Amino acid sequence: MDRKDSLQHIALSKEQKNVIAELRILLIDENRQRAESLTSALNNSRYKISHLVNPDMSLLKQVDEIQPDIIVIDIESPSRDILESLSTISHYNPKPVVMFSGEKDTDTINQYIESGVSAYVVGDLQAERVKPILDAAVARFREFQKLKVELSDTKQQLASRNLIDQAKRLLMKKKNLSEDDAFKAMRKTAMDTGQKLDDVAKTLISFLNTI
């Protein structure tokens, strides 16, 4: 590759890195005029409203069919069905959710936050506020998902360590081995069988508890 081609390649790589992925929005709104205003507010941004549905339609079905990147709900008073649907989505297919609502009750707001709403905004929707609110909601959602993964990994590591320690203690007791020899025996079995160490530990615990 000559110098000219190399510079073009570097420039292209930088341009590709600066490209921001488009995010598709599923908008639930009972007011079409308000929905059109929100759509206009997002012109020339990375957010694209790909579908507009009525609050009476099944939210779960729409999310399953459309697979949006973000859910935006603009409604005066959210129903119990929407709350339950959001809880299900948060558990099985989590996505950033932004809710604009006239409902100011603290308990109601807390229920929606607990059900997976990333941003709950009370009051009239102003065009200049839409994009910053979406940006903050997406950032908050991604950080929360990252923390969930880290917590899950930590719990898994702790569970594995506990299994290994339990199996090691059983080997020491049943086979009269030192701690170091018990661990070496488990590690050798794992290497010989191509298993994870915690899987070997599970098998050993099950076997040693029967003798």
Side-chain angles (χ1 to χ4, degrees), residues 82-101:
I82 290 180
L83 177 64
E84 292 174 355
S85 295
L86 288 176
S87 295
T88 302
I89 291 166
S90 177
H91 186 73
Y92 293 104
N93 189 16
K95 298 177 183 300
V97 179
V98 178
M99 178 170 284
F100 297 96
S101 175

Side-chain angles (χ1 to χ4, degrees), residues 12 20-21 24 55 58 110 119 144 150 174 193 201 210:
L12 181 60
I20 300 176
R24 296 174 300 112
S58 170
N110 288 337
F144 182 68
E150 290 175 353
K174 300 280 187 176
T193 60
T210 63

Side-chain angles (χ1 to χ4, degrees), residues 1-12:
M1 181 183 296
D2 59 28
R3 179 175 174 79
K4 181 179 179 181
D5 289 340
S6 177
L7 290 174
Q8 287 177 338
H9 177 74
I10 293 172
L12 181 60

Side-chain angles (χ1 to χ4, degrees), residues 39-139:
T39 302
S40 297
L42 294 175
N43 281 342
N44 302 316
S45 75
R46 62 172 173 163
Y47 302 106
K48 304 298 176 185
I49 295 178
S50 61
H51 207 73
L52 171 67
V53 298
N54 187 284
D56 294 332
M57 297 179 69
S58 170
L59 178 56
L60 290 177
K61 181 179 179 182
Q62 293 298 319
V63 170
D64 185 57
E65 290 180 353
I66 298 164
Q67 290 298 316
D69 299 303
I70 307 172
I71 300 170
V72 175
I73 301 173
D74 194 355
I75 189 170
E76 289 302 320
S77 182
S79 68
R80 189 73 191 178
D81 287 342
I82 290 180
L83 177 64
E84 292 174 355
S85 295
L86 288 176
S87 295
T88 302
I89 291 166
S90 177
H91 186 73
Y92 293 104
N93 189 16
K95 298 177 183 300
V97 179
V98 178
M99 178 170 284
F100 297 96
S101 175
E103 180 58 69
K104 301 179 182 180
D105 179 68
T106 301
D107 289 340
T108 300
I109 294 173
N110 288 337
Q111 284 181 342
Y112 275 94
I113 295 299
E114 289 171 4
S115 72
V117 171
S118 306
Y120 189 105
V121 184
V122 177
D124 295 332
L125 177 59
Q126 298 174 4
E128 66 273 13
R129 296 175 61 207
V130 175
K131 184 179 176 297
I133 289 171
L134 291 177
D135 287 341
V138 170

Side-chain angles (χ1 to χ4, degrees), residues 158-168 198 201-202 205:
L158 182 59
S160 296
R161 189 176 305 149
N162 287 338
L163 280 172
I164 292 167
D165 286 345
Q166 186 180 348
K168 187 169 59 178
D198 53 347
K202 288 179 186 176
I205 291 169

Side-chain angles (χ1 to χ4, degrees), residues 188-206:
K188 184 176 187 306
T189 300
M191 294 176 64
D192 291 345
T193 60
Q195 297 182 76
K196 293 181 179 178
L197 196 55
D198 53 347
D199 289 332
V200 170
K202 288 179 186 176
T203 303
L204 280 171
I205 291 169
S206 178

